[in-house]
Amino acid sequence: MDQPNILEAQKLTKVYEDGLCALDHVSFSVKAGEIFCLLGDNGAGKTTAINLFLGFLNPTEGTPFINGIDVTKDPLAAKQHVAYLSDVVMLYPNFTARQNLDFFARLGGRHNLKRDDYYNALRQVGLQEKAFEQRLKGFSKGMRQKVGLAIAIVKEAPAIILDEPTSGLDPKAANEFLAILHQLRAQGRAILISTHDIFRAKEISDTVGIMSEGKLLAVKTKAELEHENLEKLYLDYIQGKVAA
Ligand SMILES: Nc1ncnc2c1ncn2[C@@H]1O[C@H](COP(=O)(O)OP(=O)(O)O)[C@@H](O)[C@H]1O
Ligand SMILES: [Mg+2]
């Protein structure tokens, strides 16, 4: 059966106050059980698109939907259906791993979780047990990313959005991170990722959207990419050698 669209961008457009058009009529959707990767150089508009989904910015034109909810009309309801990880993970350094989970789960409307639920989520993402009750301030970036993913797990949000999640992770941490993403996909989450890394994009995604200067130039499925050289395709698109 066809999966429902959990994230949907309809002609998303953002012109910043200074007149810069950071996003120009960008449309795409992410289904349950799909990893969709926005691939583009710095300044392509990836973070702008993500910030529109999270309601951090208002679109100049177009609409972001999360689980069918128009984010511009009902941002609070929409936020209950999404878990978000930025490249600088926004967690509390003075809280322990478990306290961070508890805090964000409650913020996301889940008030009935027990210590074991938090521990199970932290185990699922592979955080070492001795770190469960330690404050985050001594954690590596890889460990903080794991706590961020554990929050996505306990929040049971159908959508997960990650902005440049693997930047700054060492190869081992990045691999562990990708394995967890694949587990979340297997649970039927819709996952939207941004990256400037072509190899990661190809490795992680079911679908890659190639972005440049605010435009979504192409959307390619994994099957399509098996027969194409993504690096060449990407460069051809951003250099305007292929008509978008
Ligand atoms: N708050 C802002 N005000 C004005 N311009 C911005 C703002 N945020 C981002 N931009 C510009 O919008 C464009 C897209 O930025 P961004 O969405 O951060 O791209 P990416 O995440 O792909 O690197 C860039 O040219 C950037 O300088
Ligand atoms: Mg960015």
Side-chain angles (χ1 to χ4, degrees):
M1 207 186 73
D2 216 16
Q3 295 289 343
N5 287 339
I6 304 295
L7 292 166
E8 191 164 350
Q10 282 183 4
K11 298 183 182 161
L12 273 188
T13 301
K14 180 66 188 180
V15 180
Y16 283 111
E17 284 71 18
D18 58 4
L20 182 108
C21 181
L23 215 57
D24 188 359
H25 295 86
V26 165
S27 299
F28 62 88
S29 57
V30 191
K31 291 184 184 300
E34 178 182 7
I35 299 180
F36 186 107
C37 189
L38 287 173
L39 170 67
D41 286 342
N42 285 335
K46 306 179 297 293
T47 297
T48 300
I50 286 174
N51 286 342
L52 289 168
F53 271 109
L54 298 167
F56 294 159
L57 292 172
N58 281 317
T60 309
E61 213 186 305
T63 316
F65 292 93
I66 297 177
N67 226 4
I69 302 166
D70 178 339
V71 177
T72 62
K73 292 215 175 100
D74 202 346
L76 288 179
K79 260 179 229 178
Q80 305 270 307
H81 298 254
V82 65
Y84 165 60
L85 238 81
S86 72
D87 50 351
V88 227
V89 185
M90 291 186 283
L91 301 171
Y92 288 94
N94 282 324
F95 287 2
T96 68
R98 198 246 319 149
Q99 286 170 332
N100 268 282
L101 254 60
D102 187 50
F103 179 81
F104 284 99
R106 285 173 195 277
L107 204 62
R110 304 215 58 202
H111 297 281
N112 50 356
L113 294 170
K114 305 262 178 329
R115 187 174 292 249
D116 271 351
D117 299 314
Y118 299 129
Y119 283 4
N120 282 337
L122 291 168
R123 262 180 220 120
Q124 213 178 313
V125 296
L127 189 75
Q128 54 279 48
E129 302 260 343
K130 68 174 189 324
F132 289 6
E133 297 292 347
Q134 279 172 6
R135 290 178 194 217
L136 251 70
K137 55 174 129 195
F139 283 20
S140 67
K141 174 155 185 183
M143 290 165 77
R144 278 182 281 132
Q145 290 280 38
K146 286 178 178 173
V147 176
L149 282 175
I151 290 171
I153 291 172
V154 294
K155 207 173 158 189
E156 293 190 333
I160 300 174
I161 297 182
L162 310 109
D163 198 0
E164 304 271 358
T166 54
S167 70
L169 291 186
D170 63 50
K172 179 169 173 282
N175 271 334
E176 286 174 6
F177 185 77
L178 297 187
I180 301 159
L181 277 192
H182 285 143
Q183 282 177 28
L184 290 166
R185 172 177 61 184
Q187 293 170 7
R189 317 288 183 113
I191 301 171
L192 174 64
I193 298 183
S194 77
T195 185
H196 58 268
D197 184 332
I198 293 178
F199 299 101
R200 284 268 174 253
K202 186 159 182 178
E203 185 180 36
I204 325 176
S205 334
D206 299 303
T207 316
V208 177
I210 298 177
M211 281 191 74
S212 179
E213 296 177 359
K215 291 195 168 68
L216 185 61
L217 299 178
V219 175
K220 298 278 176 186
T221 63
K222 199 175 193 89
E224 288 168 329
L225 289 175
E226 268 169 26
H227 307 288
E228 301 199 60
N229 176 340
L230 179 60
E231 189 175 23
K232 180 170 183 307
L233 192 71
Y234 177 72
L235 291 173
D236 284 352
Y237 269 111
I238 66 169
Q239 290 166 1
K241 287 185 194 153
V242 185

